Amino acid sequence: MTIKEACQSLTGEIVKWRREFHRHPELSYAESRTASVVAGMLRQFGLDVREGVNGYGVVADLVGKIPGKTVALRADMDALAIVEETGLPYASEVPGIMHACGHDGHMAALLGAAQILSGMRDRLRGSVRFIFQPAEEIPPGGAIGMIEAGALDGVDVIFGLHLWSEFPVGTFYTTQGPMMAAADLFTVTISGKGGHGGLPHKTVDSLVIASHLVMASQHIVSRQVNPLDSGVVTFGLLQSGSAFNVIADKAVLKGTVRSFDPVVRDLLQGRLEQTAASIAQMYGARIDMDYVRGYPAVINHEREARAAMQEAEPVFGAQHVGIMQPNMAGEDFAYYLQKVPGAFCFVGAGLPEGPVYPHHHPRFVIDERALPLATEWLCRMALRYVM
Ligand code: NI
């Protein structure tokens, strides 16, 4: 039986597992039921299973007969605080929680690969490590703690995938180099001195100072970042003032900074902090900035991204495998790629006839025909290194 045939014949099971996860979603850092279901199945497949890795992480090794490389495959396990509105017969049974990002499908597809590959153990030259990671959705995320707990020890190369509803089922996309952005968050609090709207000389006007900060920050990307690099500084919130004739004593601004290159990331943060400090000094207000770093950028390694596309061709057909534009969403797979070579890839899961709802939407659905394709690609990636 070929890998393709093995995946097709396992489709019913994979879909059943996915629906089972879909019925029982759990929030980030609380995936206890999910983790024990996953671990139980991996044990049934005969793998060496470690549970409780950085919370609810599960790591399982398939050790081949002959020593060789170790290839890691990763799935995430968490769901979101969303009230499901799909009306599906297997919709969430947990009020207010929904698998609205496809992580249920990631687990099912990877379990399918674990079952198929475990049946080939005698022919494997090396090991396959299956990483089921908690808490992808909420920084600091599960990946970093799993790496600290040894999830990547001995790993030569790693791959992961995201089912993606905005690409139609039957397609596969990735890219060499920057793929998803580093996404940081900041809050600025400006403390001035309030007063009478007709007596501005007796105040320190926080609202005017906030306006200056917003405008001055527009120079950061347009005049301080190399035009051939990319970055975003967005102010998404500005709150200040209470009445038409009162000068505001306080202003609060919140925003996000996005980048791909770590040097650009440092530059954006540094310039934003300097701009705020200079404006504070110029106008005599106090400006406090709380800058929180989210996940770093997902940077695919070139050789491994090429390998991922090569293995995708027999699965999806060469005409359905493409290079995607970098995506400004974040993903903590980034941390694995900082440690070992690998690539993160998107597997199309959109219904060809629509409607297509974005990830994290209450009506988000995937086309389950994507699942055996994802399993097949995962199997092929593993076998590329251990067969
Ligand atoms: Ni996701």
Side-chain angles (χ1 to χ4, degrees), residues 70-357:
T70 298
V71 52
L73 304 171
R74 171 270 207 175
D76 42 12
M77 303 195 288
D78 49 335
L80 292 148
I82 291 175
V83 178
E84 179 159 352
E85 293 174 11
T86 60
L88 290 169
Y90 52 88
S92 170
E93 292 173 10
V94 185
I97 306 182
M98 173 186 178
H99 267 296
C101 197
H103 300 186
D104 48 350
H106 302 168
M107 290 185 278
L110 188 55
L111 286 166
Q115 176 163 354
I116 290 167
L117 292 168
S118 65
M120 304 172 70
R121 183 194 297 259
D122 292 350
R123 290 187 275 154
L124 300 186
R125 184 185 295 275
S127 299
V128 188
R129 177 164 301 166
F130 300 91
I131 298 177
F132 289 83
Q133 180 213 301
E136 187 281 322
E137 296 286 358
I138 299 179
I144 202 163
M146 291 200 66
I147 295 167
E148 283 162 7
L152 287 184
D153 293 359
V155 168
D156 295 292
V157 65
I158 187 165
F159 295 92
L161 67 86
H162 211 301
L163 296 165
W164 206 248
S165 70
E166 280 157 73
F167 294 138
V169 67
T171 61
F172 179 97
Y173 290 92
T174 187
T175 192
Q176 298 181 350
M179 161 121 172
M180 297 173 84
D184 299 338
L185 158 84
F186 64 86
T187 303
V188 181
T189 308
I190 300 176
S191 308
K193 188 172 163 225
H196 195 291
L199 304 170
H201 57 295
K202 302 210 164 158
T203 72
V204 176
D205 189 336
S206 297
L207 190 153
V208 170
I209 296 167
S211 308
H212 275 282
L213 177 59
V214 172
M215 293 313 295
S217 300
Q218 303 310 307
H219 282 245
I220 297 172
V221 172
S222 75
R223 286 296 172 267
Q224 287 166 1
V225 174
N226 182 331
L228 297 176
D229 290 331
S230 44
V232 176
V233 175
T234 290
F235 288 88
L237 176 148
L238 196 172
Q239 283 173 336
S240 186
S242 56
F244 81 97
N245 56 356
V246 177
I247 286 176
D249 70 331
K250 213 175 190 72
V252 176
L253 305 97
K254 285 180 191 276
T256 182
V257 173
R258 306 273 164 133
S259 59
F260 291 107
D261 183 337
V263 175
V264 173
R265 189 185 198 187
D266 289 344
L267 180 124
L268 293 173
Q269 178 178 355
R271 291 301 162 112
L272 190 61
E273 285 169 350
Q274 281 164 13
T275 303
S278 306
I279 285 176
Q281 199 193 23
M282 186 155 58
Y283 295 105
R286 211 179 107 194
I287 298 189
D288 297 300
M289 177 167 312
D290 181 23
Y291 191 102
V292 179
R293 289 207 160 196
Y295 302 148
V298 174
I299 315 269
N300 281 343
H301 295 244
E302 286 189 17
R303 196 175 46 166
E304 285 68 25
R306 227 178 305 126
M309 292 179 73
Q310 281 168 8
E311 297 302 334
E313 286 189 5
V315 180
F316 299 87
Q319 72 277 25
H320 299 129
V321 174
I323 292 185
M324 61 179 273
Q325 287 256 333
N327 178 307
M328 279 289 178
E331 165 60 70
D332 74 350
F333 196 80
Y335 291 111
Y336 300 109
L337 296 179
Q338 288 183 336
K339 298 284 177 199
V340 294
F344 193 65
C345 305
F346 279 15
V347 170
L351 303 168
E353 312 299 325
V356 168
Y357 293 99

